[in-house]
Each structure stands twice: as C-alpha cells, then as structure tokens.
Amino acid sequence: MRLIKVVTCNLNQWAMDFDCNMKNIKESISRAKEAGAVIRLGPELEITGYGCEDHFLEMDTVHHAWECLTELLRGDWTDGILCGFGMPVMKGSERYNCQILCLNRKIVMIRPKMWLANDGNYRELRWFTAWKQKDYLEDFLLPIAVSDALSQTTVPFGYGYVQFLDTAVAAEVCEELFTPMPPHAELALNGVDVFMNASGSHHQLRKLDIRLRAFIGATHSRGGVYMYSNHQGCDGGRLYYDGCSCVVVNGDVVAQGSQFSIKDVELVVAQIDLDAVASLRGSISSFQEQASCKKKISSVLVPFKLCQSFNLQMSLSSPLKIRYHSPEEEIAFGPACWLWDYLRRSGASGFLLPLSGGADSSSVAAIVGCMCQLAVREIENGDEQVKADAIRIGHYTDGQFPTNSKEFAKRIFYTVFMGSENSSEATKTRAKVLADEIGSWHLDVSIDGVVSALLSLFQTLTGKRPHYKVDGGSNIENLGLQNIQARIRMVLAFMLASLLPWVHSKPGFYLVLGSSNVDEGLRGYLTKYDCSSADINPIGSISKIDLRAFLKWAAIHLGFPSLAEVEAAPPTAELEPIRANYSQLDEVDMGMTYEELSVYGRLRKIFRCGPVSMFKNLCYKWGGNRTPLEAAEKVKHFFKYYSINRHKMTVLTPSYHAESYSPEDNRFDLRQFLYNARWPYQFRKIDELARDLDGDKVAITKSTDQEKVGMGVVAAGSGDPRAGF
C-alpha cells in the first residue's frame, strides 16, 4: 500500500492584503502539518488574493508576492510537506498566473496557467498571458533577491509534473479542468496519481453541482486523486467565493469542505491509498492501451518519498454523500457571509436598511439576521477571529461578546420604515414585526412633511402643483410624484446611517443596504437614486421568484415567521395613493410578470438572444399559450423598457453576484447603456415573422378543422368550422 495524507483549504483571502493572506496561509500549513499531511494545496493566486484586477498590472504586486513566498521558504513552513502556492510571476515581459510547488525550502517547479478564464465575471487575459509551450520545461531564472535568500538560481517552469520516488503529482489550475481537452487526461496516462487544482470559483445559484461533476468525471474513468482548493469569502468585490474544497478519489468524493462559512481558514483532510488508483487504471483495458502510446509529458524528479507503507495508524477516507444546499439556503448563507466580510473589512459599525415591509427589503433584513446567527454560532464553536471581529464591530467592552443573535443585531443593525400617505398599515406592521423578530433597532418615520415642502417649493418656482393620475394628473406628474418619495428615502437613509451612531454615542458609521432584485434591474423598474441606491446590495443579482421561495424557507428555518405573510402579499411600490378601486401593483406597472422577466433575462444573457432570436425561442417555449403576435408584443415591450432604462445600470449599487443573467454593467454584462429604444430593424423583423407565423397558424388550423369535418370528428360545440377566424 502507498498511503498518503493530503490537505486542501478554504481560505478567506483579501485582494492586496498580504499580511492577512500570509496569516491564513501559515495557519493552514501549521494545521496541515499537525494533521500529518504531506501535501497542502491552497487556492488560486492565494498570496495576492484572486480579485486584484488591475493591481496585477503593477510590478509592486509581483514583487510583494515574491517577498511573501521567500518568507515562507526561509522558514520551516515547507519542511517535509509539498505546498502549492498561487501567485503572479513575470517571465521576461510576460505575466503568468502560476502555481508554485515547494518542498523543503526549495521551489520544485513553477506551473503557469495554460487556459485562462475570460468570460462572465472573469478577465484573466487582461492581466495574464496563457502559457503555450507544452512540449518542454524551461529554466526560469529566479529574481536576484529570491535567489540569494534561497541559494537557488533556477527552477523548472512550464507544463509538466513532479515525479517523486513513490508517486507523481501535477498541478491543474481552475479553468483548465473545464476545457474540452483538460491537462489531467494526458497527465493520468503519464502516471500522475495526484492532481492539485487551485481555484478561484465564485458562488452562483445552483452552480456547485457543475463543479463537482467535473471533479468526479476527471477521475471516474481515468483514476486518480483530485484535490480542489478554493477561496471562500468576499476578496474585495461583488463576488463571493464559495469554498467547497474537496478531495475526489477514483470518482468518489471522500472529503468535502463547507460552501458557506465565515471562518478564515478551513482544512479538508483526506487519507488515501494510491494503490487504489493504480488498481483501477490497471483494470481498464482502454486506459492501458492509450497509456502505452501516450505523448510523453516533461517531469521534474525529486528524490523524496511522500507515501507511507501499510500501517493501522492511518485509516482511509471513505466515499461521502455530497452535501448540496438548496437555492433557498444558498440565498441565506452566501450573501450573509459576503455581508460579514464587507462589514468587518470596511471599518463600518453596522448596517442601515430602509425596510418597507415588502419582499425585497424583508429578504435583505432576513439575510442580515442570518449573518448575526452565523457569527454567534461560530463564536460558540470557539472561532477566536470571528469573536474578535464581533467584539470590535459591536463595541463590546469588559470582556463581553455576542451570545445572542438578536442582541447582536440590536447593536449593528438599524431598520427604518419610511412611510408616506400612500403606505398601507399592513406594510408598516409587517416591517415592525420582522424587525422585532430579527432584533434590529427599528424606526418608523413619515416623509410626508418633506414631500410637501418640496412640492411647495416647486409650486413657488413654477406656479404649478403636480397631481397623481388617480386624482386627474398626467403620467408625467404621476411619475414625478413617485420619484420624489423614492429619492427622499435615499437621502434620509444616508443621513440616518451617518448620524444615528452619533445619536446613540456609537463610533463609526453604518453602511446603507439596498434591496433591488435582479429582475427590477433588468427591466429598469426602479427609480434612479432611490432607496435602492445604497452602499451594497446583497440581493441585486437574485430573482424575485427565488426571493419569494427564500422568504417561505426563512420563515421556518431562520425563525422569522412574519416572512410568510410578507411573501403572500402582492408586490407593490406603494408610491401612489390607495383608492377603493385602485391599488398600485408592480407587475401591472411593469406590463410583465416576474416569471416572464426571468425568462427574458436568461434568453438575453445566458443564451445570447437578440430581440428576433428571443421572439423565436418564445414561440417554441410558449407554444399554444400565446399567439406569435402576442409573443411579439411582449418581446418588443421588454426590449423597449430594457433599453430606455439601461442607463440605470451605470449607477446600480454594487451587488452580490448570484444570478447568471444579471444586468450589472460594471464587470459582468458589458453592453452599452444608450440605445435606440425603438429597435427599428429588429422589431420590424419580429413583426414580419409574427404575421407570417400567425397566418401559417390560421391556415394550418383551418386545414386541420376541414379534415376533421370530412372525417366526421368535429368537436362538440364547433359546428361552424370557421368559428374563431
């Protein structure tokens, strides 16, 4: 038997904070050694943090990475343990995203990434070059300061693997796993037993199974040990890296880390018999045949043993049932962990949320409540870092610390119901009850006086006073009156966030939380600079449909029962007067349902449909439920409002990324914001297609009915075969 113990990590790194990152790296190595591991793998670009973006273009970033690596190698951190560290490396004039394999205070090999992530949220080709020389390893001349410190001048650089006396190990970096011809396929044929995948993979709803299927598939038919390490935390941007580091052996997950956690360091340990890999490969005839005529991959020989022989002190890891979170749990825990990172790293003392009693703001409130519960739970479990952060944020003194999530929420969370004459008593009550359940410091404010003052000022300036549509006003007046309320709430929210801590003798400031969902951003159904214009928004990339499912779940599982009533209420902005014969409803205002918006969003972004392609797809999807002419009108209505409101994305609050059709324009959805909203060419093509399709449908239906008449099978009640035409 060749027994080996390996460790892979979830690390909560922070872009450009080298002290924080080094602390986490060192702790992970120390704990890996304590566990008896001989291989330790960290996430992609762990020394710098993955999300440095254009800081990668600065030579300082590369220099600091080398300084940190040198510090690790001059100490005893790599003694007796193979460590994979991620960092940028300059070779000549090119910058590479690299895995540095180190053992016994020496760099064994530098493995540059060959296939870069460059779609969706990723822009690696902006900062790095892909390594293209697959046929040989080159000698890389180490920087002079590093060379002097390590007494090592050169190191093998390129695509290859490390051959130890008893096993072979190779790196495969993140995106490379998901390419059509991944490196692990030919590396396995070359006898590599252990694959080390350092990754920077962000959370997206319902995405984890794609990742795990890839690990399982990589080793199911080829055999091998697949180690996967990922970041876990905010890292400084919109993305939340969702951990779930794991070890897969011959297609079975034998160790799996958490997907959502506020810990800085989490280790995933596995104990494996590498002879099981050899046994599987030897039993597959096609593997044997392909291995016999393989393309030879370059290797680095290291005269060192990683494995132990048979002993009863090491028990082998067994296959596990994979742990998946439901989408509702993902919405609760992902944004909650992201908010915790943002709160503790921003220097803020808490959050302020305009709480309307509607589904969106109530979801945000519930997520903050979940964050408080997670913090208290980790403190109970003995996490000293979470405890120290909570004491600092909550301004605890005399040895006190959070022991109750509601008490903690009272210290760090303000909620404000900013009602007007158009607000209902029901939403006001729902906001108050939910705030009490979570434990927030809740305020009830009327904005009518400020609205009246502004309207009086406007009347003084112009001699006119606008009226709501239900009171005889025009659409322009109606919209203007709604926008005044929304923008007053934004100003009031920021004023309260900055001054309420002072009122309560608390130091610092509070971050204003937004609560606009992804569908409203897509449709533009929000006021520019309204109360959704906040510091950060944890639900800005989550659909209304998913949020309503989350509210049902949270009412039970987070202990906030009033959310069930919130979910059952029809969505409304409550910006127009309520009358006996009129009540403002979001879906009526938008001219489309939230379900339809989700369909439009996925077709537009994920399936890359323009107006005409979307129309064609919807003709198939909706089938007999809507005629082609109806589908055409809906598509044109959507694209009209999408395009005239696209400019709002340029001021959209930075939002937690969770949905693959997010319209956020800064990083993810790179489209212009000034459109010809009439889409004259595209809409004309849709109209032509719709008329042709409707004509074809009429002709087909008429022909079919005539055939049925001839066969004597006309349905009851349709005596006139021309009925309906």
Side-chain angles (χ1 to χ4, degrees), residues 178-192:
F178 301 98
T179 57
M181 297 177 63
H184 69 258
E186 58 184 1
L187 287 166
L189 295 175
N190 276 263
V192 172

Side-chain angles (χ1 to χ4, degrees), residues 102-212:
C102 303
L103 174 69
N104 292 333
R105 311 191 187 202
K106 298 292 182 183
I107 301 174
V108 174
M109 177 182 175
I110 299 178
R111 166 64 156 82
K113 192 171 181 178
M114 297 186 297
W115 308 109
L116 301 178
N118 207 57
D119 51 20
N121 283 292
Y122 296 100
R123 302 284 181 277
E124 288 185 11
L125 276 171
R126 180 180 175 95
W127 309 299
F128 300 109
T129 300
W131 181 252
K132 301 176 180 67
Q133 307 299 330
K134 293 186 62 179
D135 296 331
Y136 54 87
L137 290 168
E138 297 184 3
D139 284 335
F140 175 78
L141 193 64
L142 292 170
I144 293 175
V146 179
S147 176
D148 291 345
L150 303 181
S151 299
Q152 182 179 3
T153 306
T154 62
V155 60
F157 186 103
Y159 172 53
Y161 62 93
V162 182
Q163 180 66 62
F164 292 93
L165 296 176
D166 48 9
T167 187
V169 180
E172 184 170 69
V173 189
C174 197
E175 179 74 11
E176 294 173 351
L177 168 65
F178 301 98
T179 57
M181 297 177 63
H184 69 258
E186 58 184 1
L187 287 166
L189 295 175
N190 276 263
V192 172
D193 295 313
V194 181
F195 305 97
M196 303 168 65
N197 187 312
S199 187
S201 185
H202 68 277
H203 172 239
Q204 201 163 279
L205 293 177
R206 305 172 180 89
K207 175 187 171 186
L208 180 61
D209 66 311
I210 298 173
R211 204 186 303 164
L212 284 168

Side-chain angles (χ1 to χ4, degrees), residues 692-703:
D692 290 345
L693 289 170
D694 254 32
D696 291 344
K697 189 173 182 181
V698 168
I700 291 169
T701 305
K702 185 174 182 178
S703 174

Side-chain angles (χ1 to χ4, degrees), residues 16-18 22 47-48 55 58-71 87-88:
M16 300 302 293
D17 189 339
F18 293 92
M22 283 290 283
I47 291 178
T48 59
H55 285 294
E58 301 165 5
M59 287 303 298
D60 277 5
T61 305
V62 179
H63 292 325
H64 295 332
W66 278 116
E67 290 164 355
C68 291
L69 182 66
T70 302
E71 180 183 337
M87 59 176 268

Side-chain angles (χ1 to χ4, degrees), residues 283-557:
S283 69
I284 303 172
S285 177
S286 58
F287 185 95
Q288 298 282 299
E289 292 299 318
Q290 291 187 351
S292 69
C293 59
K294 62 184 176 290
K295 174 187 175 183
K296 186 166 178 56
I297 307 299
S298 300
S299 63
V300 178
L301 178 62
V302 176
F304 186 83
K305 292 182 179 179
L306 291 178
C307 301
Q308 300 179 35
S309 57
F310 173 73
N311 67 81
L312 296 179
Q313 283 71 46
M314 185 185 291
S315 58
L316 298 180
S317 300
S318 301
L320 303 173
K321 181 180 179 181
I322 300 173
R323 298 191 303 273
Y324 290 110
H325 288 283
S326 68
E328 293 80 13
E329 290 173 322
E330 292 184 273
I331 292 170
F333 301 135
C337 293
W338 184 74
L339 283 179
W340 177 253
D341 268 357
Y342 209 102
L343 178 59
R344 71 189 181 115
R345 290 173 172 174
S346 66
S349 299
F351 297 120
L352 183 139
L353 171 68
L355 181 59
S356 70
D360 293 335
S361 62
S362 296
S363 295
V364 174
I367 288 168
V368 176
C370 179
M371 182 200 80
C372 294
Q373 293 175 4
L374 288 174
V376 170
R377 189 178 308 145
E378 287 303 325
I379 293 171
E380 290 174 349
N381 292 336
D383 193 306
E384 292 299 321
Q385 183 61 58
V386 174
K387 183 177 178 180
D389 288 331
I391 289 172
R392 176 178 52 82
I393 295 166
H395 304 292
Y396 288 89
T397 57
D398 301 325
Q400 294 181 319
F401 56 87
T403 57
N404 178 279
S405 63
K406 291 183 70 172
E407 184 274 333
F408 188 40
K410 181 72 73 174
R411 286 176 175 262
I412 68 167
F413 190 28
Y414 286 120
T415 52
V416 188
F417 180 81
M418 293 184 275
S420 72
E421 61 182 358
N422 302 321
S423 302
S424 67
E425 192 63 33
T427 53
K428 177 180 177 179
T429 301
R430 289 200 296 267
K432 176 66 169 65
V433 172
L434 178 58
D436 290 342
E437 291 171 352
I438 293 169
S440 65
W441 190 294
H442 187 67
L443 299 173
D444 185 351
V445 181
S446 173
I447 64 171
D448 287 333
V450 184
V451 173
S452 179
L454 282 173
L455 290 176
S456 295
L457 175 61
F458 180 83
Q459 189 171 11
T460 300
L461 289 171
T462 66
K464 289 189 172 184
R465 192 177 186 94
H467 297 282
Y468 289 103
K469 186 164 60 176
V470 294
D471 296 327
S474 64
N475 285 330
I476 293 174
E477 295 170 72
N478 197 62
L479 185 60
L481 287 170
Q482 293 182 70
N483 289 348
I484 290 171
Q485 298 167 70
R487 288 177 175 140
I488 284 172
R489 286 170 173 149
M490 180 202 72
V491 174
L492 181 58
F494 277 97
M495 183 182 76
L496 292 172
S498 61
L499 292 177
L500 278 178
W502 166 73
V503 169
H504 293 130
S505 301
K506 296 179 181 179
F509 62 97
Y510 277 43
L511 294 166
V512 178
L513 295 179
S515 57
S516 173
N517 64 63
V518 69
D519 297 321
E520 290 172 351
L522 177 65
R523 163 62 171 73
Y525 186 65
L526 68 153
T527 303
K528 203 172 186 178
Y529 306 113
D530 71 348
C531 58
S532 290
S533 299
D535 290 310
I536 50 175
N537 181 2
I539 66 164
S541 186
I542 303 175
S543 75
K544 190 79 161 191
I545 298 169
D546 283 334
L547 285 174
R548 300 196 76 152
F550 162 71
L551 289 172
K552 290 181 180 178
W553 177 89
I556 300 170
H557 295 90

Side-chain angles (χ1 to χ4, degrees), residues 76-90:
D76 63 356
W77 302 102
T78 61
D79 288 359
I81 184 169
L82 175 67
C83 291
F85 301 117
M87 59 176 268
V89 173
M90 292 291 294

